[in-house]
Amino acid sequence: MIESLIGFAVLLLIVFMGFPLGFAMVAVGFVGFGLVRGWEPALEMVGQLILDFAMSYSFSVLPLFVLMGAFVYRAALSEDLYDASNAWLGHYKGGLAMATVAACGGFSAVSGSSVATAATMAKVAMPSMRRYRYNENLAAGTIAAGGTMGILIPPSIALVIYGIIVEEDVGKLFIAGIIPGILTVALYILVIKVLIAVRPELGPPGPWTPWLDRIKALKGVWGMVALFLLVLGGIYLGVFTPTEAGGIGAVGAVLFAISRRKMGWRAFFGALVEAGQTTTMVFSVAFGAIILSNFMNISGMPNQIVDWVNSLDIAPIAVVLVICLIYIALGCVFEGIGMILLTVPIFFPVVQSLGFDLIWFGIVVIMVTEISLITPPIGMNVFVLKTILPEMSLWGIFAGIGPFFLADMVRLLLVVFIPGLALYLPGLMG
Amino acid sequence: MAQEEHALGEDGSRPEGVFEAVLMVMVGTAIFLMMVITFVDVVGRYGFNAPIPGGFELIEFLMPLSIFAGLPIITRRRAHIVVGILDGWFRGRAGDIRKLVVDAASLAVVAFIAERMWAQGDGLAEAQIESGYLEWPIAPAAYAIGVLSAVTCVVLLLMVGRDLRDLARGQR
């Protein structure tokens, strides 16, 4: 136990100095393993693990879904999505912000990345909210918070990574994200409704769209809906494995982009290379996480944490709540994928031994990770917005996020205390 | 701060020089083939009752390439996921030293991985381990990871050299 605590402290120190997270984990994991178990087994472990995981079929789900997202990003559908949401919601008070939330949810359903969702939606939603004199902070907060749904609503790169570490079925994790995703859209829209009820000047209504035009506006998004239903429906019905769904989704996304005349050779090659770079970035940390967690395991850390927790004689759910609090605190300095890869190997054995479902815990982890994207001082989505809207102040964006942060807390508690929200749908898969 | 998905849009995919272009073609081809194989496999299985023989293993052999061919690029662009909360404390000369230490230590880790993968390859080649269905030898996959890691070491060596120059220049 003491070895892993020292190891973890060293790891944090060198990581905070700017050492690449993956390399740091490999180094600490190897040295720790060597000190506890001996150098010969440690050398063997590193080589064996990297080769096994680098040649794992089930991990190919990651590059394929990243690729699907890269193609979707190039299909430039955000405008059509926003127009369609706007046609249906824009005429309400605060309707343009609600439309932004809905469009973010829609974009998340084909993209697995929160940063991409926030970046894309900022470019289309911000100008039109400005035209209708929406409060700038509300507008930016809506986009930053709405963007976080990218990693909750399937397909999700973060869920794939979680699934890889805990060796759970990525398909079930995807399906588990659906109801919490819909809940998020509903809660965010509720937040906007409440804000507007108190201060109507924050978001004046947009124009009324005739019914015929509303139907017409859906034309631009049907392909995207079809792609989502194909990928998620296929997984849900067991027609194909998550990896196959990724392959089908990527091909579907290319065809979708071609049909929208957005896919030239250059964009095609660009998407492939981008997917490759993200794959390398994620796997170089994932290998480190797996080597590190091997060291933690042989040093007996997870077991001892479990024993310690049991000796405290507190309700298991209290442990989960403490873990959530740790995550929210960590989320202020850590970011997305790095946080998942660093913490999940430590927490999941504890949660598992307390008798909780790892699919459910995955959704909880993703939700606290979403929160990390919008909490000061470091919130990736906020920084993305700031790059796209340089004229806005960072604190203005954070202020706009405030009400959505409260909604995130409500949502987190709902899913923690009503696991069925995450587990009902995957339970039907058999 | 983490630099996840820094490559938004197409800027990240434009190669700088022949070296990057070759690696990008390798990565792109590997991922493209993975996509096509899974797609054709599923369509073949359901449409024609004829999945690709060994499609599963083809993917397994493509994975190392899709992961490690990007390593030199990511490293050169300093696009690894980092959480450098304290790196802002190191300014001027201290900053140069920090950069040198980080790059040199990264070099040590990647060199270690390269050596390990090469050893792994030797072990597999000696035992003549083959994949279950296609009966392809596994060793070349390990050697490929070793070579791509070694290429990354060259990149890091150049980066360390530049760090040293920066440090020397700062001193004058």
Side-chain angles (χ1 to χ4, degrees), chain A residues 1-166:
Chain A
M1 173 81 170
I2 189 75
E3 301 92 341
S4 31
L5 287 180
I6 295 171
F8 205 66
V10 172
L11 178 71
L12 286 184
L13 188 72
I14 58 179
V15 160
F16 286 167
M17 308 263 287
F19 200 67
L21 183 56
F23 295 163
M25 285 168 144
V26 171
V28 172
F30 166 70
V31 172
F33 198 101
L35 289 172
V36 174
R37 186 58 62 84
W39 297 105
E40 201 55 42
L43 286 169
E44 190 54 37
M45 183 262 309
V46 170
Q48 191 64 48
L49 272 187
I50 293 182
L51 187 67
D52 280 356
F53 284 97
M55 289 190 76
S56 156
Y57 173 79
S58 54
F59 289 0
S60 62
V61 64
L62 182 100
L64 291 171
F65 272 108
V66 172
L67 182 62
M68 175 181 165
F71 283 137
V72 165
Y73 185 77
R74 285 165 175 77
L77 59 85
S78 48
E79 215 153 306
D80 288 350
L81 255 176
Y82 189 65
D83 289 347
S85 317
N86 227 346
W88 289 81
L89 297 167
H91 61 281
Y92 292 107
K93 284 180 198 154
L96 270 65
M98 295 178 199
T100 305
V101 170
C104 282
F107 192 81
S108 304
V110 276
S111 163
S113 146
S114 285
V115 172
T117 306
T120 335
M121 293 318 299
K123 282 175 202 149
V124 288
M126 202 64 194
S128 90
M129 283 196 272
R130 280 196 170 138
R131 210 175 313 129
Y132 285 91
R133 302 188 179 284
Y134 268 60
N135 176 287
E136 295 259 304
N137 294 354
L138 170 66
T142 306
I143 298 167
T148 64
M149 285 187 280
I151 55 169
L152 176 63
I153 296 182
S156 151
I157 302 308
L159 276 174
V160 170
I161 293 166
Y162 175 85
I164 287 176
I165 308 174
V166 306

Side-chain angles (χ1 to χ4, degrees), chain B residues 125-155:
Chain B
E126 207 170 302
Q128 296 186 328
I129 306 285
E130 292 174 338
S131 67
Y133 184 89
L134 296 171
E135 297 181 359
W136 288 1
I138 309 270
Y143 286 134
I145 299 177
V147 169
L148 289 165
S149 303
V151 171
T152 309
C153 286
V154 175
V155 170

Side-chain angles (χ1 to χ4, degrees), chain B residues 84-169:
Chain B
I85 298 172
L86 307 181
D87 56 1
W89 291 5
F90 298 84
R91 299 242 167 86
R93 196 170 156 71
D96 287 343
I97 294 173
R98 186 198 69 88
K99 207 161 59 146
L100 174 66
V101 171
V102 166
D103 287 344
S106 300
L107 173 62
V109 172
V110 180
F112 171 63
I113 293 174
E115 188 277 328
R116 279 293 86 205
M117 295 322 293
W118 197 264
Q120 201 72 28
D122 284 345
L124 290 165
E126 207 170 302
Q128 296 186 328
I129 306 285
E130 292 174 338
S131 67
Y133 184 89
L134 296 171
E135 297 181 359
W136 288 1
I138 309 270
Y143 286 134
I145 299 177
V147 169
L148 289 165
S149 303
V151 171
T152 309
C153 286
V154 175
V155 170
L156 279 162
L157 209 56
L158 293 173
M159 286 164 74
V160 167
R162 197 177 318 140
D163 294 342
L164 281 170
R165 263 206 315 278
D166 287 350
L167 198 62
R169 198 175 301 144

Side-chain angles (χ1 to χ4, degrees), chain B residues 67-81:
Chain B
I67 298 171
F68 283 90
L71 196 60
I73 305 176
I74 294 293
T75 304
R76 201 179 85 125
R77 297 186 173 190
R78 297 188 182 277
H80 283 289
I81 296 179

